[in-house]
Amino acid sequence: MIDPLYVASGFGVGLLVGMTGVGGGSLMTPLLILLFGIHPSTAVGTDLLYAAATKTGGSLVHGVARSIHWPAVIRLASGSIPASVVTLLVLWQLELKGEAARSLVNLVLCFALILTATSLIFRKAIMDRYRQRMERLGASTTGNATVLVGVALGVLVSISSVGAGAVGVTALLLLYPRLPMASIVGSDIAHAVPLTLVAGIGHWALGSVDWALMGVLLIGSLPGIVIGSYCAVRVPETVLRLLLATVLILVAIKLGFNELHLSTESVAAITRSATHKSMLSFSGIGIPIGEDF
């Protein structure tokens, strides 16, 4: 049976993605973790394939409109795809359902959310400060920097499913300041498709994808994206970006607090267990527990 709350969540995220252009991972993954209590690795894996499905449509639209700068896409992918594969191998070694992987996903997700919020708030200031300097870079330097950005995005996206939206757009704006905004967005979306697909397939192979959940989320999100895109021109962009950035920061703080609380509980549990074992060992050598020496 389809849970209407999941459909409504998908619709809400799709609406915001359509209105702001920010990747759904920065919204959907925290929502699945905090609201529905889904394990972080499952939330990330499901969201990656969900993102691959939704961004494919956007990539096709930009391809038809010829608003994709393919050299930038190829350079990003040449860094992000190998980085994603290596990151997935590391996650496999950590066992995705284990506590170490859960903590890693939550911490990287917090970092990625704050990075995304910073990109939303300070994008114009960053561009004003560095645009002229970046315009003087040679073609080879720009190409190498694009590959390095791809590596960073590959690691971030594979662990947290966040980073291919606002962060990717900001990086491309800095590296390719002469490209029109439509080409920047189109290139970012085109690069996100193979990255989220490879990372999502990797998470599926590791057993951290909920296919039924992904289908329900798509039912809600696809109409939400269409409606959000229609409403985007009717809502001030600055207000939307600041509102979304505030939400992302609050979510990052909540995730960080939860992780700190769980870590404290784990340390306390380990301490209690060690104390109990020590008491048992004392009791085993004939020292009565609770009596004076």
Side-chain angles (χ1 to χ4, degrees):
M1 183 177 177
I2 296 177
D3 189 335
L5 189 57
Y6 283 118
V7 177
S9 299
F11 178 81
V13 170
L15 191 69
L16 286 171
V17 170
M19 293 174 73
T20 63
V22 174
S26 58
L27 301 165
M28 184 62 76
T29 302
L31 184 69
L32 293 175
I33 295 171
L34 294 175
L35 183 60
F36 298 109
I38 292 174
H39 192 282
S41 61
T42 302
V44 169
T46 303
D47 182 70
L48 283 167
L49 288 178
Y50 158 85
T54 54
K55 289 178 182 293
T56 297
S59 181
L60 290 173
V61 171
H62 280 281
V64 171
R66 300 181 182 277
S67 55
I68 296 175
H69 186 64
W70 288 109
V73 174
I74 293 169
R75 290 166 186 162
L76 285 172
S78 66
S80 65
I81 302 302
S84 176
V85 173
V86 172
T87 303
L88 289 166
L89 290 174
V90 172
L91 291 175
W92 173 61
Q93 291 294 323
L94 290 175
E95 296 182 5
L96 276 179
K97 298 300 180 182
E99 287 301 304
R102 179 191 61 75
S103 297
L104 177 64
V105 170
N106 279 340
L107 291 174
V108 174
L109 181 57
C110 288
F111 171 76
L113 289 174
I114 292 173
L115 191 62
T116 299
T118 303
S119 299
L120 289 170
I121 297 172
F122 298 109
R123 180 183 294 169
K124 187 177 186 302
I126 292 171
M127 291 301 301
D128 291 343
R129 183 179 180 86
Y130 295 106
R131 178 186 289 272
Q132 290 185 350
R133 188 181 305 176
M134 300 303 288
E135 284 180 343
R136 292 195 293 268
L137 291 179
S140 61
T141 303
T142 299
N144 292 334
T146 306
V147 174
L148 290 176
V149 168
V151 171
L153 290 177
V155 174
L156 272 181
V157 171
S158 298
I159 297 176
S160 69
S161 78
V162 179
V167 177
V169 167
T170 301
L172 287 174
L173 280 169
L174 284 171
L175 291 169
Y176 301 91
R178 294 184 181 87
L179 285 181
M181 190 63 188
S183 294
I184 294 290
V185 174
S187 301
D188 181 68
I189 291 175
H191 165 247
V193 173
L195 174 56
T196 54
L197 185 60
V198 168
I201 290 173
H203 277 268
W204 173 44
L206 297 174
S208 58
V209 172
D210 187 331
W211 289 99
L213 174 60
M214 189 185 80
V216 174
L217 293 174
L218 285 172
I219 291 173
S221 67
L222 293 177
I225 290 173
V226 173
I227 296 172
S229 300
Y230 177 76
C231 296
V233 295
R234 292 164 174 76
V235 182
E237 180 191 0
T238 303
V239 173
L240 273 177
R241 282 183 16 211
L242 290 176
L243 179 62
L244 183 57
T246 302
V247 170
L248 295 181
I249 291 172
L250 291 174
V251 169
I253 292 171
K254 174 64 174 172
L255 280 169
F257 178 80
N258 286 357
E259 183 57 35
L260 180 63
H261 179 66
L262 288 172
S263 298
T264 304
E265 286 186 342
S266 298
V267 171
I270 292 170
T271 303
R272 286 195 300 269
S273 176
T275 303
H276 180 66
K277 287 179 180 178
S278 297
M279 292 175 69
L280 288 177
S281 65
F282 275 118
S283 176
I285 62 174
I287 301 176
I289 298 173
E291 292 188 12
D292 295 332
F293 289 98

